[in-house]
Amino acid sequence: MGNQATCNSQDYAGISETEAKLLQNVFAGLASRSPGRTMDKKTFLEYFDFQGMFGERIFKAFDIKKNDLIDLEEFMTGIARFLNGSQTEKTQLLFQMFDLHSNDQVDLEELRTMLYSMLKHEGLKSSVSRQASGVASNPNISVDVSTPIKKTTTNSNEGTSLPDQKKPLTLNIDPNDGKDWDPLPSPGKPKEFVEAEKVDDMVRSTLDSQREDPETMMAENLIEHTLTNYAKGKDYLTFREFQDWIQGTPQILRCMEFQFRAHVFKKGIKPRAGHLRKRGKTFKNMVTRYCVVQDGFLYQFRSDEQMQTSNPQNAIFLKGLRVKAGTSKADIQNHGITLESDVLSRTFYARTAEEKKMWLGWLTVESKTETLEDEYKRGEKVGEGRFANVFRCQHKMTGRDYAVKVIDKSKIDDADKEGLRAEIAILRMAIHPFIVSMKKVYETKTEIFIVMEWLEHGDLFKEIVRRKFFKEDAARHVIQQLCSAIRYCHLRGIVHKDIKPENILVERLDDPYIRIFVTDFGLSQFARPREEMKDAAGSVAYMAPEMIDDATFTKAVDVWGIGVITFVLLSGGLPFYDSDEVKLMDKIVGTPVSFANPRFKNVTEEAKDFIRRTLEKDPKKRLTISQAMGHAWLQQMDAIIPLVRKKSIVPTHQSQR
């Protein structure tokens, strides 16, 4: 533990002295990955594997000191609160997580964002869909969903009507525990959601693509019906009302408990163990340790006997560490194995060459840091950006082509690193037919590699240049897909912030139709429903007025980008243009959209109305993404679109930054 501070178990309810010491070792291993003796957000989210807004909010719940770092005290306090708190304490934590705007209330939009974010975690999705299926298939089951939330009459000083149950923290948690959750009511959704999803289903059917897997679709239905009925007639919930809602929807709290227990105390693969040597910290002499690789950690004991009776002397969190054979003469002679990150380097020595090979295999599997060259053959460069190049590559085993974005770490600052972390986190959780698919991420000391699906027909900008403009039915089909992708993001608290043709890749079908894939989430971020963001960036021609004229902006900027692209598709030109950037910004802010371009003579009034309402200057009056997708223009489908792919006739391109 070195100079790492220690904590007494009595400070943390339900945690024994033995468990406290183990958790301190775990924390030391995690903190060694960050500067100082604290854990940064990247390491926290890698360890717990919580994704999206759900992960962001859990980090904030741990970050009591609000400095974007977790120290030992915060780590231990958070573990105790999440695992051993009373029902009231856990509900308070959940309320804090769901209260995205920190105003001591939770509105339906905040509830929706958090619940959709939690859908990525299998505990909620599988349980809700299974319970919903049981309700739907059994005619003898009747669920009363007509009762709205009632205000509690309990005095605020009298505690809660929920039972005050505590569970001891154990190191042998069964991740399957808690799957038998209570059912939610039967499905039902607000009108604007129904209209939007009709369009979603329609456009996906033309491309032979389901909206989501059946479990996710059923879980989404249940979420919407739960929100509609449990919060009937209310714009927001106070803590007491939220507490009643949780009492009527217990699987939400159980999902959080299940996910947390499953990640804190994992039951992974069978441990691998044996002896390794290392240099002592003080005298630098060679000492032998009994080492165990299990559940993402390398645990070190003084001996195999000690492993049976006490906690490890040290623990190293392996995920993301680079594992390699030592290259110096001494390392080669002593069978050295190096574990390193940007802030950590540890070398261990095996007893024989065979054992060295065995340990390299074990550690590489747990670190999940195979190299790009292990699996892919890199080909020609197809794109270049400020700090990244994009190459075509081929999977060695399958022969399938992919694109790999190669980021030079020496060219990115702290802001770029946070943007890159968010981009990878978004791509990891975003599974959607109109969003580019990320296959894998690799990292070396100098570079980061993001492997994505290969799309050989280039981007939408090149497609517009090739065609001059799109016929209305083909343009509508593109916008239906784009709205589907952005709606998926907004429901999960993701704002793209840089919607433009260059960030949309295409796959050609039979003329005049294409399939699109939204890409380049480098400027994107997780945002609360009404969060006012700063630091506008992107191409001026596609920026919303509030990004230019105001200090802050909201997710409504994505809808503006959709409006600009709609105008460009139908006319071949921008709605606002000037070669002088300052004059261009003035036009975006102050000039009404005009349909003077002759190509709009044959465009329907529904299409023009869609453009007007998505290019509304006032973001509060602009269509939301669900309203845009439910617009009359997008509810039409003029033709059955054949599922035929065309060969590439334009230069290859993949988005890069």
Side-chain angles (χ1 to χ4, degrees), residues 111-269:
L111 281 173
R112 180 175 287 116
T113 298
M114 287 300 296
L115 292 176
Y116 272 84
S117 181
M118 292 171 76
L119 275 181
K120 180 64 179 177
H121 301 278
E122 292 298 322
L124 179 65
K125 182 175 74 174
S126 59
S127 172
V128 170
S129 62
R130 184 170 59 253
Q131 299 291 355
S133 179
V135 171
S137 62
N138 190 338
N140 297 317
I141 296 178
S142 175
V143 181
D144 180 11
V145 297
S146 61
T147 306
I149 293 178
K150 298 178 180 179
K151 286 190 176 181
T152 178
T153 57
T154 305
N155 185 282
S156 60
N157 295 322
E158 293 178 355
T160 176
S161 58
L162 292 176
D164 190 29
Q165 299 174 343
K166 291 188 178 182
K167 284 187 177 181
L169 183 148
T170 170
L171 303 186
N172 295 306
I173 297 296
D174 182 359
N176 293 316
D177 182 39
K179 282 191 175 180
D180 296 325
W181 298 342
D182 299 330
L184 281 168
S186 55
K189 292 191 178 183
K191 182 180 178 182
E192 73 173 45
F193 273 69
V194 173
E195 291 176 347
E197 288 184 353
K198 282 181 181 178
V199 175
D200 205 353
D201 289 336
M202 179 172 62
V203 67
R204 291 178 192 237
S205 68
T206 68
L207 298 169
D208 196 27
S209 175
Q210 283 189 325
R211 181 152 41 82
E212 273 98 19
D213 63 274
E215 276 195 352
T216 299
M217 291 174 66
M218 188 170 289
E220 288 180 2
N221 283 336
L222 268 294
I223 285 173
E224 292 303 329
H225 196 267
T226 300
L227 296 179
T228 301
N229 287 280
Y230 275 101
K232 186 178 292 182
K234 290 188 173 294
D235 295 325
Y236 63 86
L237 307 180
T238 64
F239 173 69
R240 289 295 180 182
E241 293 163 341
F242 182 86
Q243 196 172 47
D244 287 344
W245 178 72
I246 288 296
Q247 191 172 20
T249 318
Q251 62 271 40
I252 303 302
L253 184 57
R254 292 179 186 175
C255 171
M256 185 181 75
E257 294 172 349
F258 164 69
Q259 290 293 336
F260 210 87
R261 289 179 184 275
H263 285 96
V264 173
F265 299 113
K266 306 172 186 177
K267 294 181 69 175
I269 60 176

Side-chain angles (χ1 to χ4, degrees), residues 265-532:
F265 299 113
K266 306 172 186 177
K267 294 181 69 175
I269 60 176
K270 183 178 179 181
R272 281 86 167 214
H275 290 91
L276 287 172
R277 296 167 296 157
K278 68 174 187 176
R279 296 284 180 187
K281 288 184 179 179
T282 305
F283 300 107
K284 305 300 180 184
N285 58 313
M286 199 73 80
V287 296
T288 300
R289 293 288 181 261
Y290 188 75
C291 297
V292 178
V293 177
Q294 185 176 24
D295 299 330
F297 280 86
L298 175 65
Y299 296 105
Q300 301 167 52
F301 299 86
R302 290 191 181 278
S303 65
D304 51 351
E305 291 82 8
Q306 186 204 25
M307 187 188 72
Q308 308 300 326
T309 59
S310 61
N311 283 308
Q313 296 291 118
N314 202 352
I316 297 177
F317 181 48
L318 294 171
K319 186 176 180 181
L321 287 183
R322 298 182 288 275
V323 180
K324 62 181 184 180
T327 55
S328 70
K329 184 177 180 180
D331 285 348
I332 293 172
Q333 289 176 343
N334 291 288
H335 314 299
I337 301 165
T338 299
L339 308 175
E340 67 175 15
S341 69
D342 292 344
V343 296
L344 166 74
S345 181
R346 298 283 189 273
T347 300
F348 295 86
Y349 302 93
R351 293 181 294 191
T352 66
E354 283 299 314
E355 287 190 8
K356 174 183 175 180
K357 183 178 179 181
M358 176 184 71
W359 279 104
L360 282 170
W362 290 350
L363 294 168
T364 299
V365 168
E366 286 292 329
S367 68
K368 298 179 173 60
T369 51
E370 304 94 334
T371 66
L372 178 76
E373 287 72 20
D374 289 338
E375 298 186 70
Y376 296 90
K377 180 181 179 181
R378 195 189 307 192
E380 75 275 16
K381 184 164 71 172
V382 296
E384 187 173 348
R386 181 166 58 91
F387 54 71
N389 294 316
V390 179
F391 296 84
R392 189 170 187 158
C393 65
Q394 187 178 72
H395 193 270
K396 291 180 178 179
M397 184 172 293
T398 66
R400 185 173 178 179
D401 285 338
Y402 291 90
V404 56
K405 181 189 288 190
V406 183
I407 296 102
D408 184 342
K409 292 166 73 171
S410 69
K411 295 181 179 179
I412 58 178
D413 56 23
D414 289 343
D416 293 328
K417 288 178 182 177
E418 177 59 23
L420 186 60
R421 184 198 69 79
E423 179 179 15
I424 292 172
I426 290 167
L427 288 173
R428 182 172 283 128
M429 73 173 292
I431 301 174
H432 189 276
F434 309 135
I435 296 176
V436 71
S437 172
M438 183 180 75
K439 300 303 178 184
K440 206 161 186 179
V441 178
Y442 302 89
E443 184 172 359
T444 68
K445 192 172 184 177
T446 58
E447 294 175 312
I448 297 172
F449 306 86
I450 304 175
V451 179
M452 297 171 287
E453 61 185 316
W454 173 259
L455 294 159
E456 63 179 13
H457 293 140
D459 62 36
L460 184 58
F461 178 80
K462 287 185 171 65
E463 190 69 12
I464 294 169
V465 170
R466 185 178 76 89
R467 298 187 185 206
K468 308 299 183 187
F469 69 100
F470 277 57
K471 294 180 180 179
E472 186 170 338
D473 57 344
R476 174 168 44 239
H477 189 242
V478 170
I479 299 304
Q480 287 168 334
Q481 296 173 69
L482 181 56
C483 284
S484 174
I486 299 306
R487 181 174 178 271
Y488 175 93
C489 291
H490 283 195
L491 284 173
R492 288 153 179 81
I494 300 167
V495 185
H496 191 284
K497 293 169 52 178
D498 196 19
I499 301 294
K500 60 182 180 181
E502 292 89 338
N503 288 340
I504 299 171
L505 303 178
V506 305
E507 176 185 60
R508 294 214 189 100
L509 309 175
D510 271 3
D511 277 341
Y513 299 102
I514 60 173
R515 179 172 180 168
I516 70 160
F517 300 83
V518 177
T519 188
D520 203 339
F521 287 83
L523 297 179
S524 305
Q525 69 180 76
F526 293 105
R528 296 162 291 171
R530 296 176 303 284
E531 181 172 346
E532 295 184 342

